[in-house]
Amino acid sequence: FGINLRYSDSVHEDFLYVAKRIHYEGQDLYLRLAMSTHEIRVNFVRLWIKIGYILLAVLLVGIVAASLIQREIKKELHKLSSGLEAIANKEYKTHINAGFANEFVQIANTVHQLSSKLAKRDKQKRKHTAKLRLLNKQRSDIIAAVGHEFKNPIASIMGYAQTLLDDPQMDRQIKERFLGKIISNGNKINGMINRLSLATKLENGDLTPNKTQFDLGKLAFDIVTTFTQRHKDRKFILHTDTSMVNADATMIEMVLNNLIENALKYSENRIFIEVAARKCSVRDEGEGILEDEIPNITKKFYRSNHYSWDNSIGLGLSLVSYILKLHESELQIQSTLGEGSTFSFCL
């Protein structure tokens, strides 16, 4: 195989000569071709022009394709941006219709999951905020109730003490009576503080019952006897049988005291106390309780709006409920408007 470049005298032009020896049927043959170098240059130029056109066409197609892809990506980004903005405005049910590419679908699904989580957290936050508002309201009511409840005994103590200071020559009997009033009001304040402390301890589980065997009927008899001596203008009707129970006698005494005090407070007629078969009931002949208030009256610091004169702290029945829960029991309440209420429990 041979190549040579030489000038042709006949056509006065450079030629590229190519020769190839071929062995054919026992003979050596020579194939020789020649082409003008000018023609070769022209063909190369034409080839590069064709390649240029192809590259230009590919570039234009690429530009158009990139433009279309960019437009679709902008649409998808706009959808995502609008969806995120809606979620930021707490429109958690917003749905992003992304379908241009799998990556955008995955991003949209992630945003939907985030939206769902934010919706749940926002719901929890609203509940927590509502609970805090309720607690703040209850705290304000408690402070007002405690302030009012403490105000009267404190005013009495200050009044009696000031009178004693202003009159050193006061009669001894009057002085002793005033000092007794001071002690009585001091005990009342101390009792309120103890109830608050006890309610907190019971609610936090800091107290456990010290259970012993005792006669619930005898305990009720002793308590009613004390109330009869303290409230000689009221009538207590007691029906008891021997009823042995296993419980904390001090706590059950507190339960009975609260129930009878509650009956005294909300009624002016007779009070019935009955103990039989480990069950104790306290019934009054008061105004009764509204049906929709019955589930709430054992809640801590709850005070009925039905009695405008009631400024108590609202701990009595909540203490009863806590103590009975510690004894695996509960307070049963039955009430009829205009007839009275019955509070009972079984040990």
Side-chain angles (χ1 to χ4, degrees), residues 170-188:
M170 183 181 295
D171 183 73
R172 181 180 178 83
Q173 290 184 348
I174 297 176
K175 186 182 293 185
E176 288 177 354
R177 185 161 59 87
F178 280 14
L179 289 171
K181 293 287 186 181
I182 290 173
I183 293 171
S184 175
N185 283 285
N187 289 333
K188 188 181 292 185

Side-chain angles (χ1 to χ4, degrees), residues 17-252:
Y17 293 90
V18 179
K20 174 68 176 175
R21 184 174 66 178
I22 302 172
H23 186 74
Y24 181 71
E25 295 182 354
Q27 298 182 10
D28 287 333
L29 302 177
Y30 294 91
L31 176 65
R32 190 180 71 168
L33 299 175
M35 179 177 284
S36 168
T37 55
H38 174 70
E39 187 178 352
I40 292 173
R41 285 194 294 271
V42 170
N43 286 337
F44 265 107
V45 171
R46 289 175 180 172
L47 178 62
W48 279 113
I49 291 173
K50 289 179 182 179
I51 292 173
Y53 281 130
I54 292 171
L55 289 174
L56 181 61
V58 170
L59 181 61
L60 290 174
V61 170
I63 291 172
V64 172
S67 178
L68 293 174
I69 292 172
Q70 183 184 22
R71 187 173 65 182
E72 292 299 320
I73 289 174
K74 282 184 177 180
K75 286 182 181 179
E76 297 295 299
L77 290 174
H78 179 70
K79 290 178 184 177
L80 290 172
S81 177
S82 299
L84 290 170
E85 186 175 353
I87 291 170
N89 293 326
K90 297 186 177 182
E91 297 174 13
Y92 299 117
K93 293 184 179 180
T94 301
H95 183 73
I96 301 171
N97 295 316
F100 172 68
N102 186 51
E103 289 78 7
F104 285 102
V105 174
Q106 291 177 356
I107 293 172
N109 290 335
T110 303
V111 172
H112 292 153
Q113 292 174 3
L114 174 64
S115 176
S116 178
K117 290 180 181 179
L118 288 174
K120 290 180 181 178
R121 289 184 181 179
D122 189 62
K123 187 177 180 180
Q124 292 173 349
K125 182 181 177 182
R126 287 199 302 272
K127 286 183 178 179
H128 185 65
T129 302
K131 188 175 181 181
L132 285 176
R133 287 176 180 171
L134 179 61
L135 289 173
N136 285 333
K137 184 179 181 303
Q138 287 181 341
R139 187 178 291 110
S140 299
D141 292 342
I142 293 163
I143 292 171
V146 170
H148 187 90
E149 196 80 359
F150 276 55
K151 186 176 181 181
N152 289 333
I154 290 173
S156 296
I157 290 171
M158 292 177 65
Y160 288 123
Q162 188 65 47
T163 303
L164 290 171
L165 286 173
D166 292 342
D167 188 5
Q169 306 301 324
M170 183 181 295
D171 183 73
R172 181 180 178 83
Q173 290 184 348
I174 297 176
K175 186 182 293 185
E176 288 177 354
R177 185 161 59 87
F178 280 14
L179 289 171
K181 293 287 186 181
I182 290 173
I183 293 171
S184 175
N185 283 285
N187 289 333
K188 188 181 292 185
I189 293 173
N190 187 57
M192 286 186 285
I193 294 172
N194 289 338
R195 283 200 297 274
L196 281 168
S197 176
L198 181 62
T200 303
K201 288 181 179 179
L202 286 170
E203 194 173 25
N204 294 336
D206 294 337
L207 291 178
T208 54
N210 182 22
K211 294 183 178 181
T212 57
Q213 288 282 343
F214 65 92
D215 184 359
L216 182 59
K218 184 178 184 305
L219 178 65
F221 176 81
D222 293 339
I223 292 171
V224 172
T225 301
T226 303
F227 272 99
T228 303
Q229 294 171 353
R230 284 165 45 194
H231 302 275
K232 295 181 179 180
D233 57 330
R234 299 298 296 271
K235 189 171 184 180
F236 299 88
I237 300 175
L238 176 66
H239 296 286
T240 62
D241 290 331
T242 299
S243 189
M244 299 303 296
V245 295
N246 183 35
D248 187 313
T250 303
M251 288 187 177
I252 300 304

Side-chain angles (χ1 to χ4, degrees), residues 252 255-256 259 278-280 324 329-330 343-347:
I252 300 304
V255 167
L256 284 171
L259 292 180
R278 300 192 305 278
K279 182 177 181 180
C280 180
L324 291 178
S329 181
E330 62 179 348
F343 297 84
S344 58
F345 62 90
C346 186
L347 296 174

Side-chain angles (χ1 to χ4, degrees), residues 297-341:
I297 60 174
T298 57
K299 292 181 179 178
K300 190 177 180 181
F301 303 120
Y302 179 81
R303 292 182 298 153
S304 173
N305 295 323
H306 185 60
Y307 302 97
S308 58
W309 49 266
D310 183 11
N311 291 295
S312 64
I313 300 176
L315 283 175
L317 292 180
S318 68
L319 284 173
V320 169
S321 181
Y322 286 141
I323 291 171
L324 291 178
K325 282 180 182 178
L326 290 176
H327 288 80
E328 299 178 359
S329 181
E330 62 179 348
L331 183 64
Q332 303 290 334
I333 304 171
Q334 295 177 334
S335 185
T336 304
L337 285 178
E339 295 183 10
S341 305

Side-chain angles (χ1 to χ4, degrees), residues 4-21:
N4 193 18
L5 184 67
R6 74 170 190 248
Y7 184 78
S8 174
D9 292 329
S10 58
V11 295
H12 306 291
E13 191 175 343
D14 287 330
F15 273 78
L16 174 65
Y17 293 90
V18 179
K20 174 68 176 175
R21 184 174 66 178

